[in-house]
Amino acid sequence: MQLNDTDETFGLVSISFHWLLAVLIIAMISMGIYLEELERGPEKFELIGIHKSIGAIILILVALRVIWRLFQRFPEPAGTPRDWEHKLARAWHILVLAVIFVVPLSGYVSSSSGGYPVSVFGLFNLPAIAPVDKSLHEIAEEVHEFTGILLIPLIMLHAAASLKHHYWDKDTTLRRMVGLSEA
């Protein structure tokens, strides 16, 4: 399998970004929901630290994925989608990537504006991205929660669309994203 994307298929880098981010994001949504229900205490603070660390990694991975995408061509659509379907799919991917970027960024702003460091597994702290500001902290916290919850239906629709392509359209969209050949 090649590293780069081609007109016909995704390369190893794009596929790896996709699935690594998928696993991390689903884990983070689950952890975020659990954290909301958890009472204050040592376990919650430890999990918040892990949540921030993984969030920082997601932020970096999404930035790298966007940079990678800017230098790679999108493979041509599998099958023969209508023009409006192709445009909708492209807009959908941009929306999902934007939300995936806003979730960890808003968490980072929330921590910084709340005066809390963002440590990456205790190895180093990210620099503060915003000044300590209670109102900014509250806004960033709300954006973080809203966009995190918004990811749930976005991910579900994304998965449903891939199944539609595979079972209804009988095209190779899903096979390409799991690294299987066009055949």
Side-chain angles (χ1 to χ4, degrees):
M1 173 179 289
Q2 76 281 354
L3 292 177
N4 294 343
D5 299 345
T6 68
D7 286 338
E8 294 80 36
T9 191
F10 292 98
L12 183 60
V13 175
S14 291
I15 292 169
S16 298
F17 274 136
H18 180 272
W19 291 109
L20 178 58
L21 282 166
V23 168
L24 290 174
I25 289 165
I26 290 168
M28 288 292 279
I29 290 170
S30 301
M31 184 184 287
I33 291 168
Y34 179 71
L35 282 167
E36 283 295 312
E37 302 302 319
L38 196 60
E39 302 225 1
R40 290 177 65 101
E43 180 186 8
K44 184 169 188 165
F45 293 120
E46 183 177 339
L47 286 176
I48 288 172
I50 294 168
H51 188 79
K52 287 182 183 185
S53 294
I54 297 171
I57 290 167
I58 289 173
L59 185 60
I60 293 165
L61 287 173
V62 171
L64 291 172
R65 182 175 184 187
V66 168
I67 292 166
W68 178 257
R69 179 56 48 221
L70 290 173
F71 291 99
Q72 291 292 299
R73 68 182 128 223
F74 267 105
E76 290 299 316
T80 53
R82 293 177 199 87
D83 189 49
W84 69 267
E85 288 177 312
H86 179 64
K87 288 177 181 173
L88 179 63
R90 188 63 46 90
W92 180 261
H93 284 103
I94 291 168
L95 171 66
V96 171
L97 267 177
V99 173
I100 289 170
F101 187 72
V102 168
V103 175
L105 182 61
S106 60
Y108 187 12
V109 170
S110 175
S111 286
S112 292
S113 61
Y116 306 110
V118 176
S119 172
V120 180
F121 295 109
L123 300 172
F124 60 93
N125 287 350
L126 296 181
I129 194 173
V132 175
D133 180 321
K134 185 177 180 182
S135 59
L136 177 59
H137 170 72
E138 289 173 3
I139 291 167
E141 199 171 61
E142 290 297 321
V143 169
H144 184 68
E145 185 175 343
F146 173 77
T147 54
I149 291 168
L150 178 62
L151 271 177
I152 297 169
L154 292 179
I155 290 168
M156 291 171 69
L157 284 170
H158 183 71
S162 70
L163 294 174
K164 177 240 182 223
H165 277 282
H166 190 72
Y167 291 107
W168 181 277
D169 298 338
K170 300 196 184 312
D171 67 30
T172 59
T173 300
L174 181 59
R175 292 178 54 82
R176 292 190 315 181
M177 191 43 74
V178 295
L180 298 174
S181 69
E182 290 284 323

